[in-house]
Amino acid sequence: MVMKTPSICSILFAFLVLFLCSCTVYSLGHDDFIQCLSLQSKDHTSISNIVYTPENSSYSSILNFSIQNLRFTSETTPKPLVIITPVNESQIQPVIYCAKENGMQIRVRSGGHDLEGLSYTSEEPFVILDLVNLREINIDVEKKTAWVQAGARLGELYYRIAEKSRTLGFPGGVCPTVGAGGHISGGGYGALMRKYGLAADNVIDARIIDVNGRILDRKSMGENLFWAIRGGGGASFGVILAWKLQLVDVPEKVTVFTIARTVEQNATNIVHRWQYIAHKFDEDLVVLVYIRRVNSSQDGKRTIQASFQSLFLGGVDRLLPLMQQSFPELGLQREDCTEMSWIESTLYIYELPVGPLDVLLNRTQANIQYFKVKSDYVQKPISKNVLEGIWKRFFEEEAEEAQLVLFPYGGRMDEISESAIPFPHRAGNLYKINYQVYWDEEESSERYLNWIRSLYSYMAPYVTKFPRAAYSNYRDLDIGVNNKGNTSYGQASIWGLKYFKNNFNKLVHVKTKVDPSNFFRNEQSIPPLYSRWTKNGK
């Protein structure tokens, strides 16, 4: 039998048919959705002003505005059929209804910092609900509370608090462009964590839209759902609209310092010692460690540098004797220290110039790059030999813009039960490791991804085990992926137990009650208990 080779014309014709069909499906998908929105919305004019399709000239700029990772800007990255940027809560309910009616997924984006792009990508047809316009912040100084809409950035929150009071703060994250909605729903930690716990530990009320379009507060949603969204990832349960936060007391003056030591300046021994004591420091004191490769100031050769960066809730006169008693190896001197207000320290900790505060209102982040992040928890100090093994890997080419961040636990984190909210990483943890690697060219991505994965593999014997824990806001698809909503409990527990440990089972039961159809889902969302699962699947 003679096989005929297809002609170029037939191949081109088949490709054209496939292309036209896909475009027709694409168009019909968002046309039906938009028609549904018009029918379901009370104000058709206002809806048209907040809907963006690929045919709209502003579509790309709206899509890219909040993307923080160039890994998810390529031509092959799945794009939303529609982007909706609501300006009030009532415009969200039709989006949920029409997405369900048209078999489309919703990705909710508050700040765009999801490390795997899960707030703005999907392998299924999807729409982005971008909360960029929902960023109202109301501060009540007398009651020490704040209502913060989900689209507000942390920098905006800190700025608005400082407008009203220089002796109030909030224990949120370090990066000012992170969105409040996602940050707090995953726990949220920062420089005040050892004193006041997580951002989610300081939530006293919330507003959420559930799968049925109901707007619920703490009383109407019930304590189980209120528990789940404070650390369990709000996007698994609905659309977080706003948080009511308990603000915390900060002194008029805090003290900061950064001391850098290379391996030639005894960095290995100092980092090794830090592991034994940082979690025992006075709860007013946090000392982070940044590990990077640098050029030596003496001969220009490459070396490893550990930078010890600190925030102390008090003056330098109280800090110096504390450091001399607890960490003399660092050699802190008065001239290393600077006193400033807490709001100024938010600039310092993020390595911004300490000056005009309106930089905190900047909603975009400079120097966007390709990057990958992973996380670990450490419960036993790592030996000097293992630290030197890490340094060795930092001399590899791919580590030019890599760093480790070691964040100490202890203090208030040891006092809060691991089941108080779905964030289980409490007593027993010495510190958390944040692995980061950055690069500039898409074609180099695989090399850099392999580098950080290799480092992560090297660290396996020296971090938490059974499970090897991870921080849920540092989303990492390497540890497991939800298969389009059909993932069993057993499959989902691979990543669920890493993020949530024993809290995972309760999260699954809450999900089953509030979203049994698994409408709100992503590649690492909480699954409901499907009745179709087999016993082995359970």
Side-chain angles (χ1 to χ4, degrees), residues 450-490:
N450 286 338
W451 180 86
I452 195 171
R453 287 165 180 161
S454 175
L455 175 59
Y456 184 75
S457 178
Y458 168 76
M459 293 297 293
Y462 316 112
V463 296
T464 53
K465 302 176 182 66
F466 312 115
R468 182 177 184 177
Y471 174 41
S472 64
N473 268 354
Y474 291 162
R475 194 69 70 184
D476 183 4
L477 295 186
D478 288 350
I479 64 177
V481 178
N482 188 350
N483 183 23
K484 295 186 178 181
N486 296 319
T487 302
S488 71
Y489 175 93

Side-chain angles (χ1 to χ4, degrees), residues 380-536:
K380 294 180 180 180
I382 294 170
S383 72
K384 294 177 188 178
N385 286 339
V386 174
L387 292 177
E388 289 168 351
I390 298 173
W391 306 166
K392 180 180 179 181
R393 283 161 171 77
F394 267 74
F395 283 113
E396 296 173 3
E397 180 183 355
E398 292 79 11
E400 182 177 358
E401 294 187 67
Q403 72 172 359
L404 298 188
V405 184
L406 314 182
F407 203 103
Y409 271 52
R412 180 65 178 142
M413 292 297 286
D414 282 353
E415 300 168 357
I416 300 174
S417 166
E418 67 176 30
S419 61
I421 63 173
F423 189 94
H425 315 296
R426 304 287 187 170
N429 290 292
L430 304 182
Y431 60 94
K432 179 177 61 60
I433 302 178
N434 178 5
Y435 309 86
Q436 305 172 6
V437 65
Y438 298 83
W439 64 97
D440 295 319
E441 298 176 348
E442 182 179 5
E443 56 267 28
S444 302
S445 294
E446 200 61 31
R447 284 199 298 116
Y448 290 89
L449 292 172
N450 286 338
W451 180 86
I452 195 171
R453 287 165 180 161
S454 175
L455 175 59
Y456 184 75
S457 178
Y458 168 76
M459 293 297 293
Y462 316 112
V463 296
T464 53
K465 302 176 182 66
F466 312 115
R468 182 177 184 177
Y471 174 41
S472 64
N473 268 354
Y474 291 162
R475 194 69 70 184
D476 183 4
L477 295 186
D478 288 350
I479 64 177
V481 178
N482 188 350
N483 183 23
K484 295 186 178 181
N486 296 319
T487 302
S488 71
Y489 175 93
Q491 293 169 312
S493 66
I494 293 173
W495 69 80
L497 292 175
K498 288 176 179 288
Y499 292 141
F500 308 113
K501 296 171 70 173
N502 293 335
N503 292 317
F504 181 62
N505 289 334
K506 184 175 177 181
L507 286 169
V508 169
H509 284 281
V510 174
K511 172 73 168 183
T512 304
K513 182 175 181 180
V514 303
D515 183 20
S517 65
N518 202 22
F519 173 69
F520 290 111
R521 66 178 185 268
N522 60 43
E523 282 74 2
Q524 281 191 346
S525 58
I526 302 296
L529 282 167
Y530 288 112
S531 60
R532 67 173 179 269
W533 288 355
T534 65
K535 291 182 179 180
N536 291 334

Side-chain angles (χ1 to χ4, degrees), residues 222-343:
E223 288 301 305
N224 282 340
L225 180 53
F226 183 62
W227 173 86
I229 61 176
R230 292 174 295 147
S236 288
F237 304 96
V239 178
I240 301 293
L241 299 173
W243 303 104
K244 186 177 184 181
L245 310 176
Q246 182 66 62
L247 304 182
V248 300
D249 295 318
V250 293
E252 291 186 1
K253 291 292 181 182
V254 303
T255 305
V256 298
F257 68 78
T258 301
I259 294 179
R261 296 284 186 262
T262 64
V263 291
E264 293 79 12
Q265 297 169 323
N266 206 32
T268 304
N269 287 329
I270 299 174
V271 171
H272 184 254
R273 176 61 179 159
W274 173 91
Q275 297 179 97
Y276 288 85
I277 57 177
H279 66 290
K280 299 177 183 178
F281 287 161
D282 187 293
E283 64 180 12
D284 288 336
L285 175 64
V286 62
V287 180
L288 291 72
V289 185
Y290 293 84
I291 309 294
R292 305 181 179 104
R293 187 179 81 199
V294 299
N295 290 326
S296 172
S297 59
Q298 296 178 347
D299 53 18
K301 292 183 178 179
R302 296 182 300 176
T303 187
I304 303 302
Q305 180 186 81
S307 295
F308 297 83
Q309 185 189 67
S310 177
L311 170 67
F312 177 66
L313 300 177
V316 65
D317 289 336
R318 189 161 74 93
L319 172 62
L320 287 173
L322 280 175
M323 286 295 292
Q324 184 57 41
Q325 178 182 2
S326 57
F327 199 14
E329 295 84 356
L330 190 59
L332 181 68
Q333 302 296 318
R334 181 175 292 270
E335 54 266 30
D336 299 319
C337 304
T338 304
E339 292 184 341
M340 59 182 63
S341 65
W342 172 78
I343 189 64

Side-chain angles (χ1 to χ4, degrees), residues 4 35 46 53-54 62 127 315 369 371 378 445 476 496 514-515 520:
K4 293 185 177 180
Q35 183 179 12
S46 66
T53 68
I62 295 293
V127 301
Q369 293 178 277
F371 68 88
V378 177
S445 294
D476 183 4
V514 303
D515 183 20
F520 290 111

